[in-house]
Amino acid sequence: MMLAAVSVSAQQRNNNVPSYADAVEDFKPNVTNQPGRQYPMVNSQGAVRVQLRAPGATSVQLDLGRRYEMVKDERGVWTGTSAPQDVGFHYYQLIVDGTAMPDPGTVSFFGAGRWGSGIEIPSKDMDFWQVKNVPQGAVEEKYYWSKATESMRHCYVYLPNEYGKNPNKKYPVLYLQHGNAENEYGWSVQGHAGQIMDNLIAEKKAVPFIIVMDYGQGQNIHLKGQYAPQQPQQGQQGGRGGSNDAFQVVLMTDIIPFIEKEYRVIADAQHRGMAGLSMGGGQTRRITLANPTTFAYVGMFSGGTISVEDVNGAEGFKKTNKLVFMSSGSKENPRVMEAAENLKKNGMNAVGYISEGTAHEWHTWRRSLYEFAQLIFK
Amino acid sequence: MMLAAVSVSAQQRNNNVPSYADAVEDFKPNVTNQPGRQYPMVNSQGAVRVQLRAPGATSVQLDLGRRYEMVKDERGVWTGTSAPQDVGFHYYQLIVDGTAMPDPGTVSFFGAGRWGSGIEIPSKDMDFWQVKNVPQGAVEEKYYWSKATESMRHCYVYLPNEYGKNPNKKYPVLYLQHGNAENEYGWSVQGHAGQIMDNLIAEKKAVPFIIVMDYGQGQNIHLKGQYAPQQPQQGQQGGRGGSNDAFQVVLMTDIIPFIEKEYRVIADAQHRGMAGLSMGGGQTRRITLANPTTFAYVGMFSGGTISVEDVNGAEGFKKTNKLVFMSSGSKENPRVMEAAENLKKNGMNAVGYISEGTAHEWHTWRRSLYEFAQLIFK
């Protein structure tokens, strides 16, 4: 779930609904709460309950996309309860007398274009992304020089546990991208990519590989010099006109060469994959089709489909490709299964995956990574 | 500067002061602002200016320890300006109709016992901790199993750039601790330890070494089984009674063995150091004196002093020790120089360092690490 904007319109204020009245009273503290905080809470229905001490306020709402009116008690503590939410991770905020604010009860996540509050609605299959006592990989924070932007950029790199212990072994690499209005923190923080991989590798369900998570919001990527267009396009002054295009330049010019220089990597297409969620899935589609002999493994999580026509239009794609993986939450009503069937009929290895009971949010994408990671580099 | 508590007392509300009236109008956006945000801002005097759109609020304050009354304009936007602040990093919050909230303009930092707003008051010597186009190390996020707490714990590990490129070389290790009500993120996020080290190593002012940054707030460290006391002490049920004691157990039982197993480390006292800021400096003092032959390098940043009597009471400390470094901001009025002189008269290598013009905050500690790192493992 994405909050499209933080500002409060009069129309939105008029669409507020009362606190959910039918909540089962088995609320527990949210797993992403600040140390020692009881609220926000979640119950077995997936309803969210928040509290805020604000004796001076005249109205407070819980904003989870829909806005729930909170009620003040005699101590000045406001309490509000949402209707049951989809399982997985949701960005939210509080509205105090019309002003949007983060909930001081939770830690901060980057989504909806800003660092703000997040809440986890537990699912029955949370186990696969928990921190367990298995050999632990590392998520490295790395800065690197970008020729395309003439600036230092910032990424996260997952290294499997054995990476440090096999100094002569080289590894495959997956380039894994976030969604719209998210950033390079998303996959390891909200997505728990490191835990998913550590647990899969410990169970020998996935081979060890490196994951690179970078920032792909292209309208904020300012290409310079030879990489920038002669004329600004689509109103992007000094940019290359369009987010996917700018990120593609940075990925091909800077990120992949940097990773293949800095880490022990098998630097060929058969050991290189790209995947992404939502906008990042769309970027994966465009970038892998535009560079058809660069990536053998392609994953689009809630990020559209690749058609036979797409493949036919990208010379070398079919021969290079080992897997096209297309997934979606069942609540998104996608056509990924049909698209995968069409590619299979065309002689390709394609997999469609429906995440049962989930929507356009992180639990769909955690599950998608869990499935995709078991299929690649084998 | 630490905020001792988030709740609002009536006494504090009565101590509010007006917005600072003598600010020079050369405000620039704070360097830790959220993407695209203009406010908060800082001017050349170190005054902080914040804005919040809150048309429905009847009072808003900027809380930087002292509380500054903000003023509402006709659009409902509140603006407030603080008096000039000490250079360096400050935790703060906004108070809206008596309710403490994070400033949505900044990213979130862990200090004052919670994730909340932070602002950087620029100093003239900020260059040494900036991200530069030099060979970059990595800050790794690592989980590990703790026998002492019977749980997975979480730390950050700085690896110098060359670590990945010299698979047969082993490195010294510095264990580096945060202050009271901070956590294991502090040294790499607020402290920029990774940038300080990368820049020093690039200039050949420091030798490459590993830094381990863990969570040391001992009253939140729950020792289990053989590591827990028979009788709870000092009211800590199931704890070992006192923060330094609990962290010492975890450091000696879990952290050091884990690091020496997981990384290529020279596992002897001459290549092992401990340092910390404020509370972490006090822990460094107690732990290194209690384990007198374990650490050759000792750093206390705004964290007290070690006396000749301390050394004489810790058998083997003097013989093992290569450096006792004690630092303080000049605004803290410390006696670190005298303490260092006394140790030197006792035949030890001791250094006192005064950070000119700084107080009990992160710029003092960044400078302290910058100085200390140049003196150790050589």
Side-chain angles (χ1 to χ4, degrees):
Chain A
M1 196 265 334
M2 299 281 171
L3 297 172
V6 176
S7 65
V8 182
S9 75
Q11 189 185 1
Q12 283 174 307
R13 272 198 295 273
N14 294 335
N15 285 340
N16 298 344
V17 296
S19 250
Y20 182 61
D22 298 327
V24 175
E25 290 300 324
D26 58 359
F27 286 91
K28 292 178 183 168
N30 165 44
V31 296
T32 66
N33 279 4
Q34 295 234 19
R37 290 293 195 122
Q38 293 295 302
Y39 287 88
M41 291 189 168
V42 185
N43 78 356
S44 57
Q45 302 164 296
V48 173
R49 179 166 289 171
V50 295
Q51 275 197 350
L52 183 74
R53 189 171 182 281
T58 55
S59 83
V60 183
Q61 291 99 35
L62 160 63
D63 181 1
L64 264 159
R66 177 167 286 185
R67 295 190 178 185
Y68 299 91
E69 292 289 354
M70 295 167 65
V71 175
K72 184 162 69 169
D73 70 12
E74 67 284 355
R75 298 168 300 154
V77 176
W78 296 77
T79 303
T81 308
S82 79
Q85 303 292 304
D86 291 323
V87 298
F89 192 88
H90 300 256
Y91 305 115
Y92 77 102
Q93 58 191 359
L94 302 180
I95 312 290
V96 179
D97 288 342
T99 299
M101 64 175 271
D103 183 348
T106 76
V107 302
S108 184
F109 302 89
F110 196 82
R114 44 96 173 113
W115 292 93
S117 305
I119 194 159
E120 180 75 36
I121 310 298
S123 58
K124 286 175 182 160
D125 64 333
M126 289 172 77
D127 185 65
F128 74 93
W129 57 265
Q130 301 303 306
V131 176
K132 298 181 188 180
N133 187 11
V134 299
Q136 294 288 312
V139 175
E140 287 198 346
E141 179 177 35
K142 283 291 275 192
Y143 289 88
Y144 62 94
W145 176 253
S146 162
K147 289 186 291 187
T149 63
E150 291 177 18
S151 67
M152 297 298 289
R153 284 178 52 94
H154 182 241
C155 68
Y156 287 91
V157 180
Y158 168 79
L159 299 174
N161 177 269
E162 65 162 60
Y163 182 86
K165 293 163 181 163
N166 292 298
N168 298 314
K169 185 172 172 182
K170 295 185 173 185
Y171 291 84
V173 183
L174 174 66
Y175 297 88
L176 183 61
Q177 287 304 118
H178 59 81
N180 183 45
E182 296 177 330
N183 70 10
E184 70 273 27
Y185 292 74
W187 266 110
S188 56
V189 178
Q190 292 97 302
H192 300 278
Q195 284 70 54
I196 292 171
M197 290 304 303
D198 289 343
N199 295 338
L200 280 173
I201 293 168
E203 295 180 30
K204 299 192 188 304
K205 290 180 175 171
V207 300
F209 59 85
I210 294 170
I211 302 179
V212 178
M213 298 159 278
D214 209 305
Y215 181 63
Q217 196 82 30
Q219 66 267 41
N220 298 332
I221 298 175
H222 303 294
L223 301 176
K224 299 264 175 79
Q226 64 176 304
Y227 303 101
Q230 297 273 315
Q231 299 290 332
Q233 294 166 22
Q234 300 180 12
Q236 298 280 339
Q237 280 213 342
R240 205 181 165 102
S243 63
N244 306 297
D245 198 14
F247 178 65
Q248 178 178 323
V249 172
V250 171
L251 178 66
M252 302 304 289
T253 305
D254 294 317
I255 300 173
I256 293 176
F258 163 72
I259 294 296
E260 296 185 350
K261 175 172 168 287
E262 194 76 9
Y263 295 91
R264 298 193 313 279
V265 165
I266 311 172
D268 63 31
Q270 297 306 304
H271 299 87
R272 194 183 294 122
M274 183 174 181
L277 71 89
S278 192
M279 178 189 83
Q283 291 175 316
T284 298
R285 177 180 174 279
R286 277 180 289 271
I287 291 173
T288 59
L289 288 168
N291 299 275
T293 62
T294 301
F295 305 91
Y297 296 92
V298 175
M300 291 173 287
F301 311 158
S302 306
T305 56
I306 282 178
S307 68
V308 173
E309 294 68 35
D310 291 332
V311 171
N312 290 342
E315 193 180 337
F317 185 92
K318 184 175 175 180
K319 190 176 173 187
T320 303
N321 186 266
K322 294 288 183 189
L323 173 67
V324 174
F325 178 96
M326 296 171 284
S327 72
S328 179
S330 65
K331 296 191 176 187
E332 297 184 80
N333 191 25
R335 301 181 69 173
V336 294
M337 303 308 288
E338 182 186 335
E341 282 306 311
N342 289 339
L343 291 182
K344 280 195 270 193
K345 284 180 199 154
N346 191 40
M348 298 182 66
N349 183 30
V351 170
Y353 168 70
I354 298 289
S355 168
E356 282 303 326
T358 66
H360 196 74
E361 55 69 54
W362 276 100
H363 200 58
T364 299
W365 307 322
R366 295 168 187 154
R367 284 180 176 170
S368 295
L369 176 61
Y370 180 80
E371 299 294 328
F372 182 62
Q374 298 181 53
L375 301 174
I376 65 178
F377 305 131
K378 286 185 170 175
Chain B
M1 198 266 332
M2 299 280 170
L3 298 171
V6 175
S7 65
V8 182
S9 75
Q11 187 185 2
Q12 283 173 306
R13 271 197 297 272
N14 293 335
N15 286 339
N16 298 343
V17 296
S19 249
Y20 182 62
D22 299 325
V24 176
E25 290 301 324
D26 58 359
F27 286 90
K28 293 178 183 169
N30 165 43
V31 296
T32 66
N33 279 5
Q34 295 235 17
R37 291 292 196 123
Q38 294 296 302
Y39 288 88
M41 291 189 167
V42 185
N43 78 356
S44 57
Q45 301 164 294
V48 173
R49 179 166 289 171
V50 294
Q51 274 198 350
L52 182 75
R53 188 172 182 282
T58 56
S59 85
V60 183
Q61 292 99 34
L62 160 62
D63 180 2
L64 264 159
R66 176 168 287 188
R67 295 187 178 187
Y68 299 91
E69 292 288 354
M70 296 167 65
V71 175
K72 185 163 68 169
D73 71 11
E74 67 284 355
R75 299 168 300 153
V77 175
W78 296 77
T79 303
T81 307
S82 79
Q85 303 291 305
D86 291 324
V87 299
F89 193 87
H90 300 256
Y91 305 116
Y92 77 103
Q93 59 191 0
L94 302 180
I95 312 290
V96 180
D97 288 342
T99 299
M101 63 175 272
D103 183 348
T106 76
V107 302
S108 185
F109 301 89
F110 195 82
R114 45 98 173 112
W115 292 92
S117 305
I119 193 159
E120 180 76 35
I121 310 298
S123 59
K124 286 176 182 161
D125 63 335
M126 289 172 80
D127 186 66
F128 74 94
W129 58 265
Q130 300 303 304
V131 176
K132 298 182 187 179
N133 187 10
V134 298
Q136 295 286 312
V139 175
E140 288 198 346
E141 179 178 34
K142 283 291 276 191
Y143 288 88
Y144 62 93
W145 176 253
S146 162
K147 289 186 290 187
T149 62
E150 292 178 18
S151 67
M152 297 299 289
R153 283 178 52 95
H154 183 242
C155 68
Y156 286 91
V157 180
Y158 168 79
L159 299 174
N161 177 270
E162 65 163 59
Y163 182 86
K165 293 163 181 164
N166 292 298
N168 298 315
K169 184 172 172 182
K170 295 184 174 185
Y171 292 84
V173 183
L174 174 66
Y175 297 87
L176 183 62
Q177 287 304 118
H178 60 81
N180 183 44
E182 296 178 329
N183 69 10
E184 70 273 27
Y185 293 73
W187 265 110
S188 57
V189 178
Q190 292 96 303
H192 299 277
Q195 284 70 54
I196 292 170
M197 290 304 302
D198 289 343
N199 295 338
L200 279 174
I201 293 167
E203 294 179 32
K204 299 190 189 303
K205 290 181 176 171
V207 300
F209 58 84
I210 294 170
I211 302 179
V212 178
M213 299 159 277
D214 209 306
Y215 180 64
Q217 196 81 29
Q219 66 268 41
N220 297 332
I221 298 175
H222 303 294
L223 301 176
K224 299 264 175 79
Q226 64 176 302
Y227 303 103
Q230 298 272 314
Q231 299 290 334
Q233 295 167 20
Q234 302 180 12
Q236 297 279 338
Q237 280 213 342
R240 206 181 165 103
S243 65
N244 305 298
D245 199 15
F247 178 65
Q248 178 178 324
V249 172
V250 171
L251 179 66
M252 302 303 289
T253 306
D254 294 318
I255 300 173
I256 294 177
F258 163 71
I259 293 296
E260 297 186 350
K261 175 172 168 287
E262 194 76 8
Y263 295 91
R264 297 192 315 277
V265 164
I266 311 173
D268 62 32
Q270 297 306 305
H271 299 86
R272 195 184 292 123
M274 183 173 181
L277 72 90
S278 192
M279 178 189 83
Q283 291 176 315
T284 298
R285 176 179 174 280
R286 275 180 290 271
I287 292 172
T288 60
L289 289 168
N291 299 274
T293 61
T294 302
F295 305 91
Y297 296 92
V298 175
M300 291 173 287
F301 310 158
S302 306
T305 56
I306 282 179
S307 69
V308 173
E309 294 68 33
D310 291 332
V311 170
N312 290 342
E315 191 180 338
F317 185 93
K318 184 174 176 180
K319 190 175 172 188
T320 304
N321 187 267
K322 294 287 184 188
L323 173 66
V324 174
F325 178 94
M326 296 171 283
S327 72
S328 179
S330 66
K331 297 191 177 187
E332 296 183 80
N333 191 26
R335 302 182 68 174
V336 294
M337 304 307 289
E338 181 186 334
E341 282 307 311
N342 288 339
L343 291 183
K344 280 195 272 193
K345 284 180 200 153
N346 191 40
M348 299 182 67
N349 183 30
V351 170
Y353 169 68
I354 299 290
S355 168
E356 282 304 326
T358 66
H360 196 74
E361 56 68 54
W362 276 100
H363 201 58
T364 299
W365 308 321
R366 295 168 186 153
R367 284 181 176 169
S368 296
L369 176 61
Y370 180 80
E371 298 295 329
F372 182 62
Q374 298 182 52
L375 302 174
I376 63 178
F377 306 131
K378 285 184 170 175

